[in-house]
Amino acid sequence: MEVLDKIKAPVAAELEQFREAFRKTLYSDNPLLEQAVEHLLKAPGKQLRPLLVLLAARMVGEVNEKVIRVALALEMLHTASLVHDDVVDESDRRRGLPSVNALLSNQVAVLAGDFVLSKALECAAQTEDVRVVRYIAQLGQSLADGELLQLDSQDSEVLSEAVYFDIIGRKTASLFSLCARLGAMMAGGTEAEAERLAQYGKLIGICFQLRDDVFDYGTAEVGKPLGNDMKEGKLTLPTIYAVVHSDDASMRELALKVRRREASAEEMHQLMDFTVSQGGLEYARWHMKDMQGMADGLIDDTRNPSITEALHLLTAFVAERIL
Ligand code: GRG
């Protein structure tokens, strides 16, 4: 059995319930929305976030309708944020398919994203728990804030690990954290249980983004570097570390040129090779291991062995996954 299937096994029935409701809730008879939604449903991704909601719920209680509603709200919010992200980044691919902006247009992508986001808010409201609505509103601010900080950092000459971690905390870890928190809350967990699981979610969210960023440099599994981040003017932890720690002025200049999106393909490769030679990837992997250890340390509950095991596997999966 694949690792992901093992992780899903304890909540397989609930995940099916989630998938069915996701499809139904996003249905629309508006022709353009229908096209956009059908396209999005063709490549639903690994659905790690709803999986985390369900596992967190099972860690402290049972999956009820409110748990399913928050899983829907959070996965829809995530979907909407990716649709908007592709417009912001002018990306033409998402999950192996054309992005909505490339397939239809920027206008349709912005509005379809708004539609999915509004459905997310409706699912949040269906919990009839104002705390859920408040947390989700705060999450929306965090995502937009992280994305804007990332845009802003692209015009900056500062190369800072702290800024990098701040951005990924806001744009990626905040969502994982809220998945675990709301799953636990809706299943009737205590404040302390929800807080601990939120901390766990935050740590695996950081691992997830680090892993994503490391992939871009090419790995034994995926082969040659993808370089998508650099093409979009994004510098991630491996390069930030390599440039800051080497004190090589020419590489610093090159890194800033990449950020301004003025570098040629050859120059980007040069910066990637330099990053690898300076141990930038090992450094990012060291951070991943560190976060992985801390995350696993939060899941030491022996009351519920099958969920405990699934969460440990999930920690390893986000940090070690091959795409
Ligand atoms: C809740 C009212 C309310 C609002 C939500 C949807 C939204 C507001 C904000 C979205 C902001 C945004 C575009 C966030 C992007 C989030 C994100 C993690 C994108 C993916 O980032 P990359 O570039 O990954 O690291 P890819 O897959 O593009 O390489």
Side-chain angles (χ1 to χ4, degrees):
M1 204 196 279
E2 294 265 325
V3 179
L4 197 50
D5 294 328
K6 273 196 194 160
I7 304 171
K8 289 177 177 172
V11 288
E14 292 88 343
L15 261 179
E16 207 32 63
Q17 196 185 336
F18 159 82
R19 281 198 202 101
E20 187 58 32
F22 190 72
R23 210 166 254 286
K24 271 199 188 141
T25 312
L26 285 184
Y27 175 78
S28 157
D29 56 9
N30 174 307
L32 273 177
L33 272 176
E34 196 184 7
Q35 268 190 66
V37 166
E38 260 184 23
H39 182 68
L40 286 169
L41 291 174
K42 277 185 201 149
K46 291 178 287 298
Q47 300 185 324
L48 293 179
R49 294 155 189 85
L51 177 58
L52 178 56
V53 173
L54 299 174
L55 289 172
R58 284 287 308 280
M59 188 71 178
V60 302
E62 292 305 321
V63 173
N64 53 39
E65 191 49 36
K66 289 186 181 195
V67 173
I68 299 286
R69 290 289 126 192
V70 297
L72 289 168
L74 291 166
E75 184 64 1
M76 286 177 192
L77 187 96
H78 171 58
T79 306
S81 77
L82 295 182
V83 173
H84 284 176
D85 184 57
D86 289 336
V87 175
V88 173
D89 293 345
E90 299 172 15
S91 297
D92 54 9
R93 305 287 296 171
R94 171 67 62 189
R95 294 175 176 162
L97 294 177
S99 56
V100 177
N101 45 311
L103 183 77
L104 299 164
S105 63
N106 274 350
Q107 291 99 315
V108 175
V110 169
L111 295 165
D114 289 344
F115 174 81
V116 176
L117 185 60
S118 308
K119 287 284 186 184
L121 296 178
E122 192 176 0
C123 290
Q126 283 163 345
T127 62
E128 297 192 345
D129 188 329
V130 73
R131 295 172 304 167
V132 172
V133 179
R134 193 180 299 123
Y135 270 121
I136 288 189
Q138 286 164 356
L139 173 68
Q141 292 161 42
S142 171
L143 295 180
D145 192 20
E147 190 80 351
L148 282 163
L149 280 176
Q150 181 168 284
L151 268 184
D152 196 36
S153 78
Q154 283 172 242
D155 291 326
S156 155
E157 300 223 332
V158 176
L159 293 172
S160 153
E161 286 185 28
V163 172
Y164 168 83
F165 278 108
D166 187 28
I167 291 171
I168 71 169
R170 289 170 204 256
K171 76 167 195 178
T172 306
S174 57
L175 176 53
F176 277 88
S177 177
L178 193 57
C179 286
R181 181 190 294 282
L182 292 184
M185 270 171 57
M186 293 301 101
T190 64
E191 188 93 355
E193 285 171 328
E195 196 53 52
R196 196 175 172 92
L197 281 158
Q199 189 58 26
Y200 166 81
K202 183 177 170 184
L203 289 164
I204 67 164
I206 297 172
C207 275
F208 180 92
Q209 189 64 51
L210 281 167
R211 182 70 177 151
D212 218 50
D213 293 345
V214 164
F215 268 135
D216 218 49
Y217 294 80
T219 58
E221 303 92 355
V222 292
K224 67 180 173 56
L226 304 168
N228 290 331
D229 289 333
M230 288 200 188
K231 282 181 211 148
E232 288 172 7
K234 283 180 209 156
L235 297 178
T236 57
L237 188 65
T239 297
I240 295 172
Y241 167 83
V243 171
V244 169
H245 288 262
S246 74
D247 245 355
D248 182 327
S250 68
M251 283 299 148
R252 190 186 146 79
E253 263 321 299
L254 183 50
L256 296 178
K257 197 171 173 186
V258 167
R259 248 192 192 168
R260 295 192 301 269
R261 298 174 89 156
E262 289 168 1
S264 65
E266 197 185 316
E267 286 174 316
M268 287 186 233
H269 275 115
Q270 204 185 334
L271 186 59
M272 286 192 142
D273 289 344
F274 175 75
T275 298
V276 175
S277 72
Q278 293 296 309
L281 297 182
E282 277 89 353
Y283 180 70
R285 288 195 191 103
W286 174 83
H287 269 289
M288 264 191 273
K289 279 274 159 220
D290 189 35
M291 304 280 167
Q292 203 179 336
M294 287 195 277
D296 276 337
L298 290 166
I299 305 297
D300 57 0
D301 195 334
T302 45
R303 278 183 309 175
N304 202 337
S306 69
I307 304 298
T308 301
E309 197 203 340
L311 286 172
H312 284 309
L313 286 174
L314 181 64
T315 319
F317 180 79
V318 295
E320 291 157 21
R321 79 208 144 93
I322 305 166
L323 290 175

